[in-house]
Amino acid sequence: MIKLAIIIGSTRPGRKADTVARWVYDIAKKRRDAEIELVDIQDFNLPLLDEPIPPSQGKYSKPHTKTWAAKIDAFDAFVFVTPEYNHGISGALKNAIDYLYREWNNKAAGFVSYGSAGGTRAVEQLRLVMGELQIADVRAQVMLSLFTDFENFTAFKPAPHHENSVNNMLDQVIAWGGALKTLRQG
Ligand SMILES: Cc1cc2nc3c(=O)[nH]c(=O)nc-3n(C[C@H](O)[C@H](O)[C@H](O)COP(=O)(O)O)c2cc1C
């Protein structure tokens, strides 16, 4: 069985990301085809990237980098739960991604986004980043609207059809996560 991380992509006080990620986690936990874990980048207290050597060389010097690297290394696939900040992803998520390299390679990812336009522009940006990290990003994605999936733009009340979208996205991420695991083992 593959190991899949649901990554909480905002560290903002009062963030929506944790509520959305927990909803994804609760849906994913009902499945029997992957081991699921919630990963909160906030727990890793990552400063703005402070490693002197580019991560692609894998020479990590700081304890926070080594802890973060060990966590991400343990997974075969990821679901990034991302807000949209100024038509891109949050600085916190980009920083956490930039810290590592090999730990991301030859794995699969899917996206759950939210925003006034479903967070789609953030996901388009993330897809460009995935290419450089050699992460295979799946087509299916979950787009939550601040207008219709949050009451008064605050309380998270996702429309029922989104549960299907989460499972469709997970089907693809888990399939590719399993396929790419064999590549890493080979
Ligand atoms: C710095 C900043 C920029 C934002 N820019 C956008 C944007 O470009 N598009 C959008 O749909 N929402 C935007 N928003 C609203 C966010 O979608 C909303 O605040 C959401 O709750 C942020 O996710 P978080 O609560 O998990 O941090 C922005 C919010 C912040 C704080």
Side-chain angles (χ1 to χ4, degrees):
M1 213 160 43
I2 71 151
K3 291 184 76 177
L4 183 145
I6 295 168
I7 298 184
I8 304 178
S10 168
T11 56
R12 191 179 67 83
R15 62 190 178 170
K16 292 185 173 63
D18 52 349
T19 308
V20 175
R22 185 152 290 282
W23 168 76
V24 177
Y25 176 76
D26 288 341
I27 295 169
K29 283 290 279 183
K30 292 181 200 156
R31 303 175 64 109
R32 292 282 165 266
D33 52 357
E35 240 178 82
I36 315 288
E37 189 177 320
L38 257 185
V39 173
D40 191 348
I41 56 179
Q42 187 164 266
D43 292 341
F44 294 83
N45 294 313
L46 296 168
L48 277 177
L49 181 60
D50 62 352
E51 285 289 345
I53 299 175
S56 56
Q57 295 189 33
K59 292 181 180 146
Y60 304 140
S61 64
K62 303 281 163 63
H64 52 256
T65 314
K66 290 176 185 169
T67 307
W68 177 231
K71 173 56 72 181
I72 293 305
D73 198 34
F75 295 104
D76 304 297
F78 309 97
V79 170
F80 291 95
V81 175
T82 180
E84 180 173 299
Y85 287 176
N86 297 316
H87 293 196
I89 62 173
S90 71
L93 178 57
K94 184 62 164 59
N95 188 53
I97 290 172
D98 288 345
Y99 256 96
L100 309 178
Y101 190 71
R102 186 196 55 76
E103 294 77 9
W104 297 118
N105 295 170
N106 294 319
K107 296 181 178 177
F111 310 104
V112 176
S113 58
Y114 48 96
S116 57
T120 49
R121 294 164 293 210
V123 170
E124 288 304 298
Q125 200 185 69
L126 257 179
R127 289 186 186 280
L128 290 175
V129 175
M130 297 292 105
E132 180 59 12
L133 293 169
Q134 302 181 59
I135 294 179
D137 51 315
V138 302
R139 180 183 187 225
Q141 66 189 69
V142 183
M143 296 160 280
L144 302 160
S145 164
L146 289 182
F147 293 98
T148 55
D149 296 307
F150 293 83
E151 213 169 73
N152 300 321
F153 297 94
T154 315
F156 184 44
K157 300 260 170 74
H161 70 269
H162 288 305
E163 180 161 347
N164 249 346
S165 307
V166 170
N167 275 311
N168 289 339
M169 179 271 296
L170 288 172
D171 286 346
Q172 296 183 0
V173 176
I174 292 167
W176 282 16
L180 286 164
K181 186 175 181 177
T182 62
L183 180 69
R184 294 198 313 281
Q185 287 166 343

